[in-house]
PDB file of all heavy atoms in Angstrom:
ATOM      1  N   LEU A 128     -18.991   9.786   1.958  1.00  0.00           N
ATOM      2  CA  LEU A 128     -18.735  10.927   2.790  1.00  0.00           C
ATOM      3  C   LEU A 128     -19.713  10.914   4.087  1.00  0.00           C
ATOM      4  O   LEU A 128     -20.820  10.466   3.936  1.00  0.00           O
ATOM      5  CB  LEU A 128     -19.136  12.227   2.018  1.00  0.00           C
ATOM      6  CG  LEU A 128     -18.054  12.753   1.093  1.00  0.00           C
ATOM      7  CD1 LEU A 128     -17.840  11.862  -0.092  1.00  0.00           C
ATOM      8  CD2 LEU A 128     -18.544  14.196   0.540  1.00  0.00           C
ATOM      9  N   ASP A 129     -19.068  10.996   5.169  1.00  0.00           N
ATOM     10  CA  ASP A 129     -19.778  11.108   6.477  1.00  0.00           C
ATOM     11  C   ASP A 129     -19.759  12.527   6.966  1.00  0.00           C
ATOM     12  O   ASP A 129     -18.962  13.301   6.625  1.00  0.00           O
ATOM     13  CB  ASP A 129     -19.109  10.226   7.476  1.00  0.00           C
ATOM     14  CG  ASP A 129     -19.659   8.769   7.356  1.00  0.00           C
ATOM     15  OD1 ASP A 129     -20.852   8.605   7.127  1.00  0.00           O
ATOM     16  OD2 ASP A 129     -18.939   7.859   7.718  1.00  0.00           O
ATOM     17  N   ALA A 130     -20.616  12.762   7.922  1.00  0.00           N
ATOM     18  CA  ALA A 130     -20.504  14.156   8.715  1.00  0.00           C
ATOM     19  C   ALA A 130     -19.189  14.251   9.412  1.00  0.00           C
ATOM     20  O   ALA A 130     -18.738  13.206  10.023  1.00  0.00           O
ATOM     21  CB  ALA A 130     -21.678  14.250   9.584  1.00  0.00           C
ATOM     22  N   PRO A 131     -18.491  15.205   9.402  1.00  0.00           N
ATOM     23  CA  PRO A 131     -17.161  15.290   9.825  1.00  0.00           C
ATOM     24  C   PRO A 131     -17.110  15.517  11.364  1.00  0.00           C
ATOM     25  O   PRO A 131     -18.142  15.854  12.042  1.00  0.00           O
ATOM     26  CB  PRO A 131     -16.560  16.596   9.154  1.00  0.00           C
ATOM     27  CG  PRO A 131     -17.758  17.536   9.044  1.00  0.00           C
ATOM     28  CD  PRO A 131     -18.926  16.535   8.706  1.00  0.00           C
ATOM     29  N   THR A 132     -16.045  15.207  12.094  1.00  0.00           N
ATOM     30  CA  THR A 132     -15.870  15.338  13.387  1.00  0.00           C
ATOM     31  C   THR A 132     -14.428  16.154  13.627  1.00  0.00           C
ATOM     32  O   THR A 132     -13.751  16.360  12.665  1.00  0.00           O
ATOM     33  CB  THR A 132     -15.802  14.098  14.164  1.00  0.00           C
ATOM     34  OG1 THR A 132     -15.928  14.407  15.540  1.00  0.00           O
ATOM     35  CG2 THR A 132     -14.715  13.255  13.877  1.00  0.00           C
ATOM     36  N   ARG A 133     -14.197  16.303  14.821  1.00  0.00           N
ATOM     37  CA  ARG A 133     -12.872  17.059  15.119  1.00  0.00           C
ATOM     38  C   ARG A 133     -12.216  16.304  16.347  1.00  0.00           C
ATOM     39  O   ARG A 133     -12.800  15.992  17.273  1.00  0.00           O
ATOM     40  CB  ARG A 133     -13.231  18.545  15.524  1.00  0.00           C
ATOM     41  CG  ARG A 133     -12.142  19.502  15.968  1.00  0.00           C
ATOM     42  CD  ARG A 133     -12.633  20.809  16.083  1.00  0.00           C
ATOM     43  NE  ARG A 133     -11.690  21.682  16.796  1.00  0.00           N
ATOM     44  CZ  ARG A 133     -11.774  22.078  18.085  1.00  0.00           C
ATOM     45  NH1 ARG A 133     -12.775  21.550  18.749  1.00  0.00           N
ATOM     46  NH2 ARG A 133     -10.797  22.785  18.612  1.00  0.00           N
ATOM     47  N   ILE A 134     -10.879  16.090  16.156  1.00  0.00           N
ATOM     48  CA  ILE A 134     -10.084  15.438  17.187  1.00  0.00           C
ATOM     49  C   ILE A 134      -9.030  16.356  17.708  1.00  0.00           C
ATOM     50  O   ILE A 134      -8.296  16.872  16.855  1.00  0.00           O
ATOM     51  CB  ILE A 134      -9.601  14.182  16.756  1.00  0.00           C
ATOM     52  CG1 ILE A 134     -10.648  13.119  16.408  1.00  0.00           C
ATOM     53  CG2 ILE A 134      -8.628  13.560  17.769  1.00  0.00           C
ATOM     54  CD1 ILE A 134     -10.194  11.792  15.888  1.00  0.00           C
ATOM     55  N   VAL A 135      -9.033  16.635  19.079  1.00  0.00           N
ATOM     56  CA  VAL A 135      -7.881  17.415  19.647  1.00  0.00           C
ATOM     57  C   VAL A 135      -7.188  16.703  20.711  1.00  0.00           C
ATOM     58  O   VAL A 135      -7.703  15.681  21.221  1.00  0.00           O
ATOM     59  CB  VAL A 135      -8.645  18.727  20.335  1.00  0.00           C
ATOM     60  CG1 VAL A 135      -9.312  19.544  19.155  1.00  0.00           C
ATOM     61  CG2 VAL A 135      -9.640  18.377  21.384  1.00  0.00           C
ATOM     62  N   GLY A 136      -6.097  17.120  21.182  1.00  0.00           N
ATOM     63  CA  GLY A 136      -5.279  16.506  22.125  1.00  0.00           C
ATOM     64  C   GLY A 136      -4.008  17.266  22.464  1.00  0.00           C
ATOM     65  O   GLY A 136      -3.814  18.449  22.050  1.00  0.00           O
ATOM     66  N   ARG A 137      -3.173  16.713  23.402  1.00  0.00           N
ATOM     67  CA  ARG A 137      -1.986  17.394  23.818  1.00  0.00           C
ATOM     68  C   ARG A 137      -0.858  16.494  23.770  1.00  0.00           C
ATOM     69  O   ARG A 137      -0.989  15.231  23.946  1.00  0.00           O
ATOM     70  CB  ARG A 137      -2.189  17.900  25.179  1.00  0.00           C
ATOM     71  CG  ARG A 137      -3.226  18.914  25.437  1.00  0.00           C
ATOM     72  CD  ARG A 137      -3.431  19.475  26.912  1.00  0.00           C
ATOM     73  NE  ARG A 137      -3.524  18.375  27.843  1.00  0.00           N
ATOM     74  CZ  ARG A 137      -4.734  17.857  28.075  1.00  0.00           C
ATOM     75  NH1 ARG A 137      -5.753  18.197  27.359  1.00  0.00           N
ATOM     76  NH2 ARG A 137      -4.857  16.829  28.902  1.00  0.00           N
ATOM     77  N   LEU A 138       0.286  17.031  23.570  1.00  0.00           N
ATOM     78  CA  LEU A 138       1.466  16.182  23.578  1.00  0.00           C
ATOM     79  C   LEU A 138       1.840  15.708  24.972  1.00  0.00           C
ATOM     80  O   LEU A 138       1.418  16.314  25.974  1.00  0.00           O
ATOM     81  CB  LEU A 138       2.724  17.006  23.018  1.00  0.00           C
ATOM     82  CG  LEU A 138       2.725  17.615  21.670  1.00  0.00           C
ATOM     83  CD1 LEU A 138       3.967  18.377  21.380  1.00  0.00           C
ATOM     84  CD2 LEU A 138       2.367  16.490  20.638  1.00  0.00           C
ATOM     85  N   PRO A 139       2.673  14.571  25.097  1.00  0.00           N
ATOM     86  CA  PRO A 139       3.064  14.106  26.385  1.00  0.00           C
ATOM     87  C   PRO A 139       3.763  15.132  27.077  1.00  0.00           C
ATOM     88  O   PRO A 139       4.546  15.978  26.613  1.00  0.00           O
ATOM     89  CB  PRO A 139       4.024  12.929  26.059  1.00  0.00           C
ATOM     90  CG  PRO A 139       3.535  12.537  24.654  1.00  0.00           C
ATOM     91  CD  PRO A 139       3.235  13.807  24.063  1.00  0.00           C
ATOM     92  N   SER A 140       3.503  15.201  28.470  1.00  0.00           N
ATOM     93  CA  SER A 140       4.240  16.221  29.298  1.00  0.00           C
ATOM     94  C   SER A 140       5.735  15.918  29.299  1.00  0.00           C
ATOM     95  O   SER A 140       6.384  16.940  29.721  1.00  0.00           O
ATOM     96  CB  SER A 140       3.608  16.118  30.812  1.00  0.00           C
ATOM     97  OG  SER A 140       3.762  14.799  31.341  1.00  0.00           O
ATOM     98  N   SER A 141       6.033  14.688  28.998  1.00  0.00           N
ATOM     99  CA  SER A 141       7.571  14.397  29.078  1.00  0.00           C
ATOM    100  C   SER A 141       8.205  14.665  27.628  1.00  0.00           C
ATOM    101  O   SER A 141       9.240  14.143  27.426  1.00  0.00           O
ATOM    102  CB  SER A 141       7.834  13.017  29.514  1.00  0.00           C
ATOM    103  OG  SER A 141       7.089  11.988  28.613  1.00  0.00           O
ATOM    104  N   HIS A 142       7.505  15.263  26.669  1.00  0.00           N
ATOM    105  CA  HIS A 142       8.027  15.441  25.382  1.00  0.00           C
ATOM    106  C   HIS A 142       9.281  16.425  25.512  1.00  0.00           C
ATOM    107  O   HIS A 142       9.286  17.344  26.272  1.00  0.00           O
ATOM    108  CB  HIS A 142       7.016  16.208  24.544  1.00  0.00           C
ATOM    109  CG  HIS A 142       7.626  16.715  23.233  1.00  0.00           C
ATOM    110  ND1 HIS A 142       7.841  15.840  22.216  1.00  0.00           N
ATOM    111  CD2 HIS A 142       7.884  17.891  22.801  1.00  0.00           C
ATOM    112  CE1 HIS A 142       8.250  16.501  21.177  1.00  0.00           C
ATOM    113  NE2 HIS A 142       8.344  17.740  21.505  1.00  0.00           N
ATOM    114  N   PRO A 143      10.442  15.944  24.868  1.00  0.00           N
ATOM    115  CA  PRO A 143      11.599  16.732  24.879  1.00  0.00           C
ATOM    116  C   PRO A 143      11.463  18.110  24.413  1.00  0.00           C
ATOM    117  O   PRO A 143      10.967  18.387  23.401  1.00  0.00           O
ATOM    118  CB  PRO A 143      12.561  15.970  24.047  1.00  0.00           C
ATOM    119  CG  PRO A 143      12.076  14.524  23.888  1.00  0.00           C
ATOM    120  CD  PRO A 143      10.432  14.746  23.966  1.00  0.00           C
ATOM    121  N   PRO A 144      11.723  19.126  25.166  1.00  0.00           N
ATOM    122  CA  PRO A 144      11.667  20.570  24.823  1.00  0.00           C
ATOM    123  C   PRO A 144      12.533  20.804  23.647  1.00  0.00           C
ATOM    124  O   PRO A 144      13.575  20.445  23.440  1.00  0.00           O
ATOM    125  CB  PRO A 144      12.027  21.200  25.964  1.00  0.00           C
ATOM    126  CG  PRO A 144      12.950  20.356  26.798  1.00  0.00           C
ATOM    127  CD  PRO A 144      12.475  18.977  26.634  1.00  0.00           C
ATOM    128  N   GLY A 145      11.880  21.713  22.699  1.00  0.00           N
ATOM    129  CA  GLY A 145      12.647  22.108  21.520  1.00  0.00           C
ATOM    130  C   GLY A 145      12.747  21.152  20.338  1.00  0.00           C
ATOM    131  O   GLY A 145      13.440  21.419  19.299  1.00  0.00           O
ATOM    132  N   ILE A 146      12.190  19.944  20.609  1.00  0.00           N
ATOM    133  CA  ILE A 146      12.135  18.872  19.570  1.00  0.00           C
ATOM    134  C   ILE A 146      10.776  18.870  18.780  1.00  0.00           C
ATOM    135  O   ILE A 146       9.769  18.780  19.436  1.00  0.00           O
ATOM    136  CB  ILE A 146      12.463  17.535  20.121  1.00  0.00           C
ATOM    137  CG1 ILE A 146      13.873  17.585  20.851  1.00  0.00           C
ATOM    138  CG2 ILE A 146      12.414  16.386  19.148  1.00  0.00           C
ATOM    139  CD1 ILE A 146      15.004  17.735  19.875  1.00  0.00           C
ATOM    140  N   PRO A 147      10.715  18.886  17.415  1.00  0.00           N
ATOM    141  CA  PRO A 147       9.509  18.842  16.777  1.00  0.00           C
ATOM    142  C   PRO A 147       8.801  17.477  16.979  1.00  0.00           C
ATOM    143  O   PRO A 147       9.502  16.368  17.153  1.00  0.00           O
ATOM    144  CB  PRO A 147       9.819  18.906  15.205  1.00  0.00           C
ATOM    145  CG  PRO A 147      11.192  19.531  15.225  1.00  0.00           C
ATOM    146  CD  PRO A 147      11.949  19.147  16.491  1.00  0.00           C
TER     147      PRO A 147
END
Side-chain angles (χ1 to χ4, degrees):
L128 280 67
D129 271 329
T132 188
R133 177 172 169 263
I134 294 180
V135 299
R137 300 182 302 280
L138 299 182
S140 56
S141 57
H142 173 72
I146 299 297

